[in-house]
Every structure is written in C-alpha cells, then in structure tokens.
Amino acid sequence: MTLREAHENEEYIIKEIQTNDEELNAFIEEYFAAIVNCDNVALQDMVTDASEYKTDALLKRKAEFITGYDNITVYTKAGLDEGSYVAFVVTNLSIVGVNSSPYDITTLYVLNGARGYLINNSTLSMDAKEYIEKVKGDKDIEKYLGISILGIIPKTESDRSKTKRKITV
C-alpha cells in the first residue's frame, strides 16, 4: 500500500522521523543560505515554481529584518508520493535589532526526482495540504518539535545537538 492509499484509507502508521539524510540537510541549508544571501538565481533552481524568485526584491525586503538562520535542524516525514518529504526546519532567527534568537519552524514539501531535491513552492493539492496538516499533529512531530495546542515549547539543548548549523550574512 502506498502512503497516498494509506492516507486516503486513514491507515497511515506513524514512522520514525528521519533526521540523518545529509544530502537533504545540505540542500535545505543551501536553500536558507540562498535566502539570506538574496541569491534568487540559486533559489530558482531549488524550487518547483521559479517565478517566485524571478527578481530578488522580495528577498531583499526580508533581508532587512532577517539576517541569518542559526542552529538549523531538519526533521522529515515521508510525503504522500514516493521520493517526497514533509520537512520541518527548526531554526533560530537572527533578526536586526533583536538580541535574542527566536525559534522558527518552517514546513516545506520537498520532492526528490531526476533534478535532485526541489522545494514545492507552488500550489499544493488538497490531498497534500490535508496530509501535511495530519502529519503536523503526529505525536512524534509534537515530541521532536515541541509543538502543542498551546504553541511552541522551546526544545532542550540536548534535543537539538544532533545537527547544528549557522547561516548568516
């Protein structure tokens, strides 16, 4: 049974979160580095809809406030289709004029195909949107990301010690 069939039949069994895919981790780090560096050309090759990054204007506006993504940790769950992932990227943001580094959790739908990894930044199907929402509520996701009904609960240092990366301007 495929994941899509399991999801449609509500028989999806939670699998262990994958956190050790170095190629995927490196790709996501490169993605965030390209955002920080306002590298719209690199971003066009990393997403399914390159038109979002046709110019760097949006990136430059964002860079006025966010200057870095620190302590990048990637948690993934298998996506609906083979070779796809729901990636939860936990970072500390470096924000202009702010002395602390607040947590940020970004959810990405990542495809792995002939061109390598791509972030699906186009409109997702209803099935994919529903699946992502379902995955967000999985107990293992709540455990690893510290998400609860009340909001984000900071993770301990030992929980995040597996992967520590820093990307700043």
Side-chain angles (χ1 to χ4, degrees), residues 48-49 52 109 119-126 128-129 132:
T48 57
D49 181 7
E52 181 178 344
Y109 198 76
I119 293 170
N120 185 341
N121 65 329
S122 34
T123 304
L124 293 171
S125 69
M126 256 333 249
K129 288 178 185 177
I132 291 169

Side-chain angles (χ1 to χ4, degrees), residues 33 42 50 53 62 107 114 116 149 154:
Y53 299 110
K62 192 172 187 176
T107 305
I149 294 172

Side-chain angles (χ1 to χ4, degrees), residues 19-168:
T19 58
N20 58 357
D21 184 335
E22 289 302 319
E23 285 183 43
L24 179 59
N25 288 341
F27 171 77
I28 289 175
E29 288 171 20
E30 290 170 18
Y31 173 75
F32 280 96
I35 290 172
V36 168
N37 295 320
C38 300
D39 189 347
N40 64 310
V41 175
L43 287 164
Q44 289 177 27
D45 290 334
M46 302 176 93
V47 297
T48 57
D49 181 7
S51 67
E52 181 178 344
Y53 299 110
K54 192 168 187 153
T55 70
D56 62 359
L58 179 63
L59 295 170
K60 286 183 177 179
R61 276 195 304 248
K62 192 172 187 176
E64 292 175 15
F65 303 101
I66 298 174
T67 60
Y69 296 91
D70 305 326
N71 301 322
I72 295 174
T73 306
V74 181
Y75 299 99
T76 60
K77 297 283 285 193
L80 273 176
D81 300 307
E82 188 175 334
S84 68
Y85 301 91
V86 179
F88 299 94
V89 184
V90 181
T91 65
N92 291 104
L93 295 176
S94 294
I95 302 173
V96 172
V98 177
N99 292 331
S100 64
S101 296
Y103 282 104
D104 180 58
I105 300 174
T106 303
T107 305
L108 302 172
Y109 198 76
V110 182
L111 309 172
N112 190 5
R115 289 180 42 202
Y117 291 113
L118 290 174
I119 293 170
N120 185 341
N121 65 329
S122 34
T123 304
L124 293 171
S125 69
M126 256 333 249
D127 284 349
K129 288 178 185 177
E130 288 173 2
Y131 180 74
I132 291 169
E133 288 306 310
K134 179 178 167 80
V135 168
K136 284 181 179 179
D138 286 353
K139 294 295 180 200
D140 53 350
I141 292 297
E142 289 179 358
K143 174 185 171 192
Y144 283 99
L145 300 183
I147 297 174
S148 73
I149 294 172
L150 301 174
I152 299 173
I153 301 168
K155 294 170 47 70
T156 64
E157 190 64 29
S158 63
D159 286 341
R160 297 208 26 170
S161 64
K162 286 185 182 177
T163 308
K164 293 218 171 214
R165 311 278 200 247
K166 185 171 183 169
I167 299 173
T168 55

